[in-house]
Amino acid sequence: MNILIIEDEPGIYNFLKEGLEEEGYVITIASDGIMGIEKYHHSKPDLILLDWMLPEIYGIDVCKEIREQDRETPILFLTAKDTVRETIEGLRAGANDYIKKPFSFEELLERIKIHFRNIQEDEILTLGNISLNKSSYQVFNKGQETSLTQREFALLEFLIRNKGKTCTRDEIIDKVWNINFEYDTGVIDVFMNSLRKKLNLDKESGNIKTVRGIGYIAND
């Protein structure tokens, strides 16, 4: 997981960088608001630690600019400000959390882990222009929601999770249909035809190709 720290005090960002890297996170540092926005676009972080009082552009404005194009990446404010008005202002700007300086590293680490667990629970899988949201059971193709049956959804999820690997019909029957005895695998073809039709996927050149006599393979 990549964490972007936007903080202008070297003592703080070096302390955080060292501690978080020991926990296995990949850390990117930006020491002012303009650099923070640039590093956000370049590194595409999984989580942002954002100081409120920054040179060039205040943290609140950095948060607003990021939120105009990204509603998903967790943003945690690190700030000495502690009034109810400022807390509300930060949350309204799109922040997910608010940690008052000085703070303990253990508390910050636990907050980060909580937000990463939330990301994983709202897992999104992609295949070309198709995105599948595991928690909401929604599928989008080029931004348009596509309605799938429960079995079609499970079939698509299995193929995406095994992207680049040929999935045999027997594997699909076992993992998606949960049938571990001899069964007519031809039923898979029926569901696959329906899935391709709903997602506007060409049989030969689409993101899910037939491997003749074996099964299917999904690729971006």
Side-chain angles (χ1 to χ4, degrees):
M1 290 290 190
N2 183 2
I3 297 176
L4 171 61
I5 300 173
I6 309 177
E7 166 66 62
D8 66 318
E9 295 184 38
I12 294 178
Y13 65 65
N14 284 327
F15 165 72
L16 292 175
K17 183 176 187 294
E18 181 179 352
L20 291 171
E21 284 181 341
E22 287 182 0
E23 294 292 326
Y25 297 109
V26 176
I27 304 301
T28 303
I29 301 291
S31 57
D32 63 56
I34 292 176
M35 187 188 300
I37 293 171
E38 291 174 350
K39 290 288 183 71
Y40 161 76
H41 288 293
H42 182 262
S43 66
K44 293 298 181 184
D46 299 296
L47 183 141
I48 300 169
L49 299 178
L50 176 62
D51 185 30
W52 187 292
M53 299 297 292
L54 288 170
E56 305 296 341
I57 303 175
Y58 276 1
I60 191 77
D61 295 313
V62 172
C63 181
K64 288 176 180 177
E65 182 159 339
I66 290 173
R67 279 293 178 249
E68 285 180 359
Q69 53 198 304
D70 179 353
R71 305 299 301 177
E72 305 299 329
T73 303
I75 299 176
L76 283 65
F77 265 120
L78 308 177
T79 178
K81 293 181 176 293
D82 193 31
T83 68
V84 172
R85 182 183 63 80
E86 286 159 343
T87 301
I88 292 173
E89 185 181 359
L91 295 174
R92 283 178 175 172
N96 299 82
D97 210 341
Y98 196 98
I99 303 175
K100 185 180 181 299
K101 298 178 181 178
F103 52 83
S104 72
F105 180 76
E106 290 74 17
E107 178 192 2
L108 175 64
L109 184 60
E110 188 57 36
R111 300 272 192 102
I112 289 172
K113 288 179 178 177
I114 288 171
H115 286 287
F116 278 141
R117 281 200 296 270
N118 290 340
I119 291 174
Q120 290 165 354
E121 288 171 1
D122 197 33
E123 184 180 11
I124 295 176
L125 306 176
T126 61
L127 178 67
N129 294 315
I130 301 164
S131 63
L132 180 151
N133 188 313
K134 186 68 174 66
S135 64
S136 66
Y137 287 92
Q138 289 177 294
V139 173
F140 295 87
N141 186 18
K142 296 181 180 179
Q144 298 296 315
E145 186 170 2
T146 302
S147 179
L148 301 182
T149 66
Q150 184 177 0
R151 190 74 75 187
E152 290 166 348
F153 186 95
L155 176 58
L156 178 62
E157 180 186 353
F158 180 76
L159 292 170
I160 295 177
R161 288 191 184 279
N162 291 277
K163 195 161 37 176
K165 171 183 176 290
T166 298
C167 300
T168 69
R169 288 180 171 82
D170 287 337
E171 284 178 322
I172 295 171
I173 284 292
D174 181 27
K175 302 298 184 182
V176 178
W177 266 254
N178 294 315
I179 294 173
N180 54 15
F181 52 86
E182 189 173 342
Y183 189 84
D184 181 7
T185 58
V187 69
I188 299 172
D189 299 327
V190 175
F191 279 89
M192 184 60 70
N193 289 336
S194 175
L195 182 62
R196 280 173 168 155
K197 184 176 181 180
K198 289 182 178 181
L199 294 173
N200 295 315
L201 296 179
D202 182 85
K203 186 175 182 180
E204 299 300 327
S205 61
N207 296 105
I208 302 174
K209 295 184 175 63
T210 301
V211 181
R212 296 188 183 282
I214 300 175
Y216 300 93
I217 184 169
N219 279 303
D220 290 318

